[in-house]
């Protein structure tokens, strides 16, 4: 079994992603992600000296490159629509937990 | 006297249905009722739909009949369609197959949905998908898997498995799906229907819930190539609401179908007819190539030497983008929120722990790692550079060929549960479809045979913004064969 990732690293990544994991999930991801990263290690064999990265599929020609649109005021979602799916709201705003200590 | 009614409305193609609607042989209400009845009969077994909107569909059909009676002949007037549940609809839930969006109602329609409504389509409901379109089997849906209408023990493919199964089983005349690494073409192949992934930028993604933004594209699933062309013509084009949509004119894909393949140069990538495929798969594709050759196409070999790297490149880039896109699901603005969180951080962690399923968590983890300090150059940047090489392979192929032909998948539909505990094995099934998304090109899958009673798909890969040519190739093939007319036993 591969240990490319340690359990501590898995827990660190989960914290970066703000993803709660059970101990069983952490164990499972350690094994599965290690296997996937081992497989991905084949990329290190590829010579990419002087190769530029590709960020998306649409930057090959001038014709298909979207231009800048005119900056104009247009109708947007109404406040009630924007809030309609909120798990919690108050006074016309999204309600969240405090982010500063009292 | 009223012209006679076609015997089985649920297996009409869209173009046949439009003829019958225009002649007055059927009404949109009759057609919609027939499809709803079929869905009510088979969907308890198939689970292609997450939401079936009988009342809403009938109201839209009545409106379509009113419009036609008033002289309207919009291009899809009265045609009942299904929409993959990662595409926002104003009047129906949009769940993405995820618990975290259970009950979510978008305040707006995706541009493609608005365009379909304008073209007169009747929206039957929302189809099942792997959670956030991350998967190849539709087993990743939080609301249970979809089954393949050709064999209920097998997966329909994914992630647009609900759309493919619905079209194959006569529960919709056509459907929209989304394709990030094969999610339209692979289920089309597994279910014996046509599926097209347009070029990156060809179709607006406004209202498509984002998975991997440099790869995602909306496309169509249909019973034949003419239907796929009709649907694509209706949804394609520049959209000011999507900055990545291309400001290019949209050809009339339907008019350009008939050109044939005489003199067209078709390349066969040697890396796509490899060892390890299901026995019979390579032979099936070679038979299809013989048909195209017989129709006058010039067939020749080509090499795409970086093909083997597409899988690791994809499974670094797509999760990296997904980890950023899915940061928005935090229990604040919409969707599920963990009810008993003690503070903000606890709320984020618990909401995402209970809201996301295993595959989404796996990819968020993988992507977060690939982007994290110390690993960015080694994984994400390296993958982006190899992506450039994969694109270069195609650029060289286009110097000699007008389109490429390959299998869509290395195997036919696999059994439910077979790969669910081994993500790498599941990912390996996508090897023939991923490169196209990485290169931003267009491709389609068209039925070209069967192995042990299960459909096989031929993939036609095309140049950027050259959907017309790949549709023409598939249409010519359909004229010489009848694989696309085969219906699954369950239907």
């Amino acid at each position: 079994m591969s240990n490319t990732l340690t359990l501590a690293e898995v827990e660190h990544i989960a914290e970066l992603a703000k993803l709660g994991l059970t101990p069983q999930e952490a164990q499972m991801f350690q094994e599965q992600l290690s296997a996937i990263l081992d497989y991905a290690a084949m990329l290190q064999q590829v010579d990419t000296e002087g190769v530029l990265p590709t960020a998306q599929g649409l930057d090959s020609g001038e014709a298909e490159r979207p231009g800048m649109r005119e900056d104009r005021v247009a109708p947007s979602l109404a406040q009630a629509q924007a809030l309609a799916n909120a798990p919690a709201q108050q006074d016309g705003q999204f309600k969240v937990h405090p982010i500063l200590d009292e | 006297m009223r012209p006679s009614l076609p015997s089985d409305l649920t297996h009409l193609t869209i173009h046949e249905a439009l003829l019958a609607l225009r002649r007055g042989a059927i009404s949109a209400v009759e057609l919609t009722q027939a499809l709803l009845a079929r869905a009510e009969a088979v969907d308890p077994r198939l689970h292609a739909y997450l939401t079936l909107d009988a009342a809403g569909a009938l109201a839209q059909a009545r409106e379509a009949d009113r419009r036609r009676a008033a002289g309207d002949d919009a291009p899809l007037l009265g045609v009942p369609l299904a929409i993959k549940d990662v595409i926002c609809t104003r009047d129906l839930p949009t769940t993405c197959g995820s618990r975290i969006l259970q009950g979510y109602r978008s305040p707006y329609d995706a541009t493609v949905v608005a365009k379909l409504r304008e073209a007169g389509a009747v929206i039957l409901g929302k189809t099942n998908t792997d959670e956030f379109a991350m998967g190849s089997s539709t087993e990743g849906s939080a609301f249970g898997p979809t089954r393949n209408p050709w064999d209920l023990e097998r997966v329909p493919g994914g992630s647009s498995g609900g759309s493919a199964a619905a079209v194959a089983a006569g529960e919709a005349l056509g459907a929209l799906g989304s394709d990030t690494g094969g999610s339209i073409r692979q289920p089309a192949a597994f279910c014996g229907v046509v599926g097209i992934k347009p070029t990156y930028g060809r179709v607006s993604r406004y209202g498509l819930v984002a998975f991997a933004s440099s790869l995602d594209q909306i496309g169509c699933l249909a019973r034949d190539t003419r239907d796929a062309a009709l649907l694509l013509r209706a949804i394609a084009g520049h959209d000011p609401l999507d900055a990545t949509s291309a400001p290019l004119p949209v050809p009339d894909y339907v008019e350009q179908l008939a050109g044939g393949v005489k003199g067209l140069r078709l390349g066969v990538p040697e890396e796509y007819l490899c060892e390890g495929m299901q026995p019979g798969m390579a032979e099936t594709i070679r038979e299809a190539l013989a048909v195209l050759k017989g129709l006058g196409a010039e067939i020749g070999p080509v090499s795409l030497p970086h093909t083997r790297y597409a899988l690791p490149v994809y499974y670094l880039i797509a999760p990296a983008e997904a980890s950023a896109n899915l940061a928005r699901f935090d229990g604040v603005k919409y969707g599920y929120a963990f009810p008993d969180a003690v503070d903000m951080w606890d709320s984020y962690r618990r909401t995402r722990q209970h809201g996301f399923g295993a595959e989404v968590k796996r990819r968020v983890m993988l992507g977060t790692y690939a982007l994290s300090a110390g690993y960015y150059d080694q994984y994400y940047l390296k993958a982006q550079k190899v992506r450039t090489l994969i694109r270069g392979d195609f650029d060289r192929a286009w110097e000699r060929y007008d389109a490429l032909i390959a299998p869509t998948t290395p195997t036919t539909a696999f059994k439910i549960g077979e790969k669910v505990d081994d993500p790498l094995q599941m990912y390996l099934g996508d090897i023939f479809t991923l490169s196209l998304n990485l290169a931003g090109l267009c491709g389609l899958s068209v039925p070209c045979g069967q192995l042990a009673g299960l459909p096989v798909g031929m993939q036609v890969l095309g140049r950027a913004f050259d959907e017309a040519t790949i549709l023409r190739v598939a249409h010519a093939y359909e004229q010489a064969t009848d694989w696309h007319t085969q219906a699954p036993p369950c239907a």
Side-chain angles (χ1 to χ4, degrees):
Chain A
M1 197 189 75
S2 162
N3 286 309
T4 302
L5 284 183
T6 64
L7 203 55
E9 283 176 306
V10 167
E11 283 159 3
H12 172 65
I13 301 163
E15 182 51 28
L16 289 175
K18 294 292 171 281
L19 197 55
L21 296 182
T22 63
Q24 292 82 0
E25 282 177 315
Q27 178 80 44
M28 179 181 78
F29 286 143
Q30 185 201 351
E31 291 169 22
Q32 293 178 341
L33 298 180
S34 291
I36 295 165
L37 290 171
D38 288 348
Y39 186 83
M42 75 161 82
L43 290 184
Q44 305 310 323
Q45 311 157 4
V46 186
D47 181 4
T48 52
E49 189 66 40
V51 177
L52 293 173
T54 293
Q56 57 144 321
L58 191 73
D59 47 11
S60 54
E62 205 50 48
E64 58 258 31
R65 194 171 297 159
M68 298 289 278
R69 65 169 168 76
E70 203 185 328
D71 194 12
R72 227 182 13 217
V73 177
S76 180
L77 289 183
Q79 187 182 33
Q81 286 178 301
L83 285 167
N85 285 286
Q89 56 173 297
Q90 189 178 319
D91 306 329
Q93 297 173 63
F94 295 104
K95 188 176 176 182
V96 297
H97 287 273
I99 55 163
L100 299 172
D101 295 330
E102 312 236 337
Chain B
M1 205 185 90
R2 197 163 188 243
S4 66
L5 214 64
S7 58
D8 184 0
L9 299 185
T10 63
H11 278 88
L12 293 176
T13 60
I14 293 172
H15 53 92
E16 289 165 347
L18 282 167
L19 272 179
L21 287 162
R22 285 181 183 132
R23 283 192 297 130
I26 55 170
S27 69
V29 167
E30 284 166 334
L31 183 58
T32 303
Q33 278 169 337
L35 288 155
L36 288 170
R38 170 70 56 123
E40 276 153 27
V42 301
D43 216 55
R45 277 173 291 153
L46 292 180
H47 195 225
Y49 281 99
L50 290 176
T51 303
L52 186 64
D53 180 27
L58 286 169
Q60 295 168 67
R62 281 192 292 274
E63 174 61 20
D65 284 334
R66 245 193 316 272
R67 280 171 69 178
R68 192 169 292 284
D72 191 342
D73 187 26
L76 296 171
L77 190 57
V79 174
L81 302 174
I83 310 288
K84 185 180 183 181
D85 210 20
V86 293
I87 298 173
C88 287
T89 44
R90 204 181 43 227
D91 49 358
L92 296 173
T94 300
T95 68
C96 298
S98 180
R99 227 178 338 241
I100 213 162
L101 279 177
Q102 190 160 18
Y104 173 73
R105 279 177 185 261
S106 166
Y108 59 86
D109 273 337
T111 295
V112 289
V113 172
K115 285 190 166 202
L116 288 182
R117 291 192 202 279
E118 203 181 297
V122 170
I123 295 178
L124 294 165
K126 305 295 287 290
T127 51
N128 202 5
T129 167
D130 287 290
E131 186 175 4
F132 287 103
M134 296 178 196
S136 312
S137 69
T138 320
E139 293 167 288
S141 167
F143 308 112
T146 297
R147 289 170 183 273
N148 190 315
W150 292 84
D151 178 349
L152 298 178
E153 298 303 308
R154 291 178 189 270
V155 303
S159 63
S160 308
S163 288
V167 173
E171 298 183 80
L173 293 193
L176 294 188
S178 64
D179 189 316
T180 303
S183 279
I184 289 173
R185 290 159 286 153
Q186 184 253 25
F190 279 10
C191 291
V193 300
V194 174
I196 182 164
K197 185 211 93 80
T199 309
Y200 187 81
R202 177 55 94 190
V203 175
S204 167
R205 303 183 298 172
Y206 179 72
L208 170 68
V209 178
F211 156 19
S213 301
S214 79
L215 304 163
D216 297 340
Q217 183 59 67
I218 294 174
C220 327
L221 295 109
R223 302 243 168 84
D224 68 12
T225 304
R226 182 173 293 278
D227 282 5
L230 271 161
L231 292 175
L232 181 59
R233 188 175 65 178
I235 62 170
H238 179 245
D239 177 10
L241 296 173
D242 175 2
T244 63
S245 72
L248 292 174
V250 177
D252 189 330
Y253 300 118
V254 183
E255 272 186 10
Q256 294 186 15
L257 280 176
V261 292
K262 201 166 170 55
L264 219 55
R265 300 163 305 164
L266 303 178
V268 183
E270 59 193 45
E271 292 81 3
Y272 285 61
L273 288 171
C274 58
E275 301 288 309
M277 282 165 63
Q278 182 175 336
M281 182 63 76
E283 289 74 8
T284 306
I285 298 301
R286 289 201 183 96
E287 282 166 27
L289 285 165
V291 171
L292 289 166
K293 193 174 179 188
L295 295 169
E298 292 167 22
I299 315 263
V302 67
S303 176
L304 303 172
H306 295 93
T307 297
R308 62 186 296 248
Y309 302 113
L311 185 80
V313 167
Y314 179 87
Y315 280 98
L316 291 171
I317 288 177
E321 294 180 7
S323 72
N325 274 325
L326 270 61
R328 74 192 60 180
F329 298 102
D330 58 3
V332 172
K333 302 176 291 296
Y334 33 65
Y336 167 82
F338 183 70
D340 303 315
V342 296
D343 61 21
M344 182 185 70
W345 297 117
D346 188 50
S347 173
Y348 289 171
R349 289 187 202 103
R350 300 285 158 237
T351 293
R352 292 158 67 79
Q353 172 172 11
H354 298 290
F356 290 147
E359 184 61 28
V360 171
K361 287 180 188 170
R362 193 150 39 232
R363 296 207 196 181
V364 166
M365 294 280 291
L366 189 56
T368 303
Y369 181 69
L371 291 175
S372 65
Y375 297 100
Y376 180 90
D377 285 4
Q378 186 184 345
Y379 289 112
Y380 186 66
L381 189 63
K382 184 75 181 181
Q384 285 192 317
K385 288 178 177 173
V386 181
R387 183 177 183 177
T388 304
L389 299 175
I390 290 168
R391 264 176 70 157
D393 286 354
F394 283 104
D395 289 343
R396 277 184 293 283
W398 303 138
E399 291 168 8
R400 289 167 54 204
Y401 294 107
D402 301 305
L404 305 180
I405 305 287
T408 307
T409 55
T411 70
T412 53
F414 48 88
K415 289 232 163 95
I416 290 177
E418 190 178 322
K419 300 186 182 182
V420 92
D421 294 324
D422 191 345
L424 192 53
Q425 278 309 310
M426 184 77 91
Y427 300 167
L428 281 164
D430 301 335
I431 49 173
F432 295 152
T433 49
L434 301 168
S435 298
L436 192 85
N437 300 73
L438 292 168
L441 307 171
C442 62
L444 62 75
S445 180
V446 60
C448 74
Q450 287 180 10
L451 290 174
L454 294 170
V456 172
M458 170 172 69
Q459 192 176 192
V460 187
L461 302 86
R463 289 192 178 100
F465 300 103
D466 194 17
E467 289 81 2
T469 295
I470 60 171
L471 287 164
R472 183 148 65 99
V473 171
H475 182 69
Y477 177 79
E478 281 179 351
Q479 301 313 295
T481 57
D482 65 357
W483 296 111
H484 64 288
T485 65
Q486 314 259 331
C490 128

